[in-house]
Amino acid sequence: MRLLRSTDLALRVLMRLAVAAGATPTTRQVAADMGVPYTHATKVVAELQHLGLIDARRGRGGGLALSEKGRTASVGAVVRTFEGEGDVVDCEGTPGCPLRSGCLLRGALRRAQEAFFATLDPLTIADIVTEPTGPLLLGIARGPAEGD
């Protein structure tokens, strides 16, 4: 299973904000830190704000901050939200799979998908930014040292 780019970015934004230590980076700064297009970051940030996982303030002195809900959010819940509830494979698509009425693979893939989510469900955003990840994120957030 491969995560959508928006899911990956949502998790990285949440992790980046989790180690911000009172700083409120802008969406543009976070996009640069994560090496992603600004337009893609704005869409993900808007969805994270809509979900109540981050707070965003515009204008002078504005920026992004992880909300308490975001800090304690389940990684599995975030992934489910961004990935959607669909099956790993689209058996009903056009054209539909000729095996769909008696296929055992579909059920096995659904169980595997649920096992994937069950592994992520107990983890919070705060859990996944402990050492060694947190210090790495801080290094990314600072950007290259002057003169580099």
Side-chain angles (χ1 to χ4, degrees), residues 32-100:
D33 290 348
M34 296 295 122
V36 298
Y38 172 72
T39 54
H40 189 56
T42 58
K43 292 175 187 174
V44 169
V45 164
E47 182 63 18
L48 291 170
Q49 184 181 13
H50 175 75
L51 295 168
L53 302 177
I54 64 172
D55 297 317
R57 291 187 319 269
R58 291 183 165 204
R60 189 177 196 131
L64 306 174
L66 190 66
S67 68
E68 186 55 35
K69 181 178 177 182
R71 185 168 302 286
T72 60
S74 160
V75 173
V78 173
V79 172
R80 274 189 186 89
T81 299
F82 277 84
E83 292 290 311
E85 294 292 329
D87 288 329
V88 175
V89 294
D90 184 12
C91 301
E92 305 299 326
T94 304
C97 177
L99 302 175
R100 68 182 173 265

Side-chain angles (χ1 to χ4, degrees), residues 80 109-121:
R80 274 189 186 89
L109 289 172
R110 186 173 294 127
R111 288 188 301 278
Q113 182 180 26
E114 281 308 310
F116 172 77
F117 287 129
T119 301
L120 297 176
D121 283 340

Side-chain angles (χ1 to χ4, degrees), residues 5 8-10 13 23 27 30 37 43 50 63 79 88 90 94 108 115 118 122 125-126 135 141:
R5 284 182 44 197
D8 173 44
L9 182 55
V13 167
T27 302
V30 170
K43 292 175 187 174
H50 175 75
V79 172
V88 175
D90 184 12
T94 304
I125 298 302

